[in-house]
Amino acid sequence: MTTVFTTMASPLGTLLLSGTVDDEHGFALTAVTAPRQKYALAEPAADWQPDPDALAPAVEQLAEYFAGERTAFELPLAPVGTEFRRRIWESLDDIPYGTTLTYGQLADAAGQSPRAVRAVGGAVGANPLLIIRPCHRVMGANGSLTGFAAGIDAKRWLLAHESGSSAGLLF
């Protein structure tokens, strides 16, 4: 299995996209990270191979998202994480474009006890597929813009973009 990467310009800055390629399974996207994102590589690892062609569908779909032409992603995904985290990340896929829910609501949607809200928050914060898996749509219990690994300004921009009110906003 080979890890491949590319970068793309975005309103949030240069995004780093990585994925895996192998003969048996083909390509799968493993991470999308933004500049200054907590707990994420800022640069490709030394053994990663540049491969813009393998990542072209992801770049194209992200460009369409930023242009307001795409509301959902259709990509093979293979994020690395525990079973619990993968279950929470998969639940993020069910949050409709332009809407938000709380960490408690996400816990419920993922079949977790309301007491698991901190663990759910930790899983959301560790989401390696920024934007693709819309962790920016998860809010605090009181509707506040709590934690986002790429920063609250990025979260605010993404939510404004999805609500259609991002015209003129600069990140």
Side-chain angles (χ1 to χ4, degrees):
M1 185 176 322
T2 303
T3 300
V4 297
F5 76 95
T6 196
T7 59
M8 71 173 284
S10 84
L12 304 182
T14 301
L15 300 178
L16 174 63
L17 290 74
S18 61
T20 57
V21 178
D22 68 35
D23 293 336
E24 185 178 340
H25 300 102
F27 172 79
L29 188 66
T30 56
V32 175
T33 58
R36 303 169 303 281
Q37 183 174 331
K38 292 179 187 175
Y39 317 115
L41 291 177
E43 299 290 330
D47 61 338
W48 293 6
Q49 302 297 313
D51 192 344
D53 292 339
L55 289 146
V59 168
E60 180 181 345
Q61 289 186 34
L62 281 163
E64 291 169 353
Y65 169 84
F66 287 122
E69 300 166 354
R70 176 174 287 278
T71 61
F73 297 94
E74 299 168 11
L75 297 164
L77 306 176
V80 177
T82 65
E83 181 182 333
F84 174 80
R85 284 185 172 184
R86 288 192 314 269
R87 188 169 47 250
I88 299 303
W89 298 336
E90 289 168 5
S91 294
L92 292 170
D93 295 341
D94 296 330
I95 306 171
Y97 181 90
T99 64
T100 61
L101 51 76
T102 66
Y103 289 96
Q105 290 170 318
L106 181 61
D108 185 56
Q112 300 299 308
S113 161
R115 293 174 290 176
V117 74
R118 284 185 176 270
V120 168
V124 170
N127 172 27
L129 290 162
L130 192 74
I131 304 162
I132 302 293
R133 289 241 158 107
C135 54
H136 59 277
R137 297 179 190 155
V138 184
M139 311 295 278
N142 63 0
S144 62
L145 296 180
T146 59
F148 186 59
I152 295 298
D153 288 339
K155 183 172 188 163
R156 186 177 292 115
W157 190 93
L158 290 165
L159 292 172
H161 171 69
E162 290 187 7
S163 73
S165 64
S166 64
L169 281 181
L170 295 176
F171 179 74

